[in-house]
Amino acid sequence: MMQSGLPKMMSRVMVALLLTDAGSLTASELAQRLQVSPATVSKSIAFWRARPSSAGSATNAAASGTSSTPTSGTSR
């Protein structure tokens, strides 16, 4: 993902979302899993939301700003 121009932390957040078995992760769960602050996760999601919509529907859903971060519709 970093090769496509995504910052390192945004790449880590997206990989964590794609690899979760739970189907969704809250910002708090992401922060704990990645061992970063909740603010770091928030900034990464905000960065993703600011990107053009050509990024894909699954990742746009992941950055929807809801209390949990759904990953439905992603393929592995």
Side-chain angles (χ1 to χ4, degrees), residues 3-74:
Q3 292 174 346
S4 67
L6 283 177
K8 183 177 180 179
M9 185 50 61
M10 185 65 244
S11 297
R12 290 181 67 201
V13 168
M14 295 310 299
V15 168
L17 290 171
L18 291 172
L19 296 179
T20 183
D21 290 330
S24 66
L25 292 170
T26 65
S28 177
E29 291 168 333
L30 277 168
Q32 184 177 20
R33 184 173 290 200
L34 298 174
Q35 297 181 347
V36 298
S37 72
T40 299
V41 172
S42 178
K43 286 180 183 180
S44 295
I45 297 299
F47 173 84
W48 189 257
R49 292 182 77 182
R51 291 181 58 90
S53 62
S54 63
S57 62
T59 50
N60 287 339
S64 66
T66 59
S67 61
S68 65
T69 311
T71 58
S72 61
T74 58

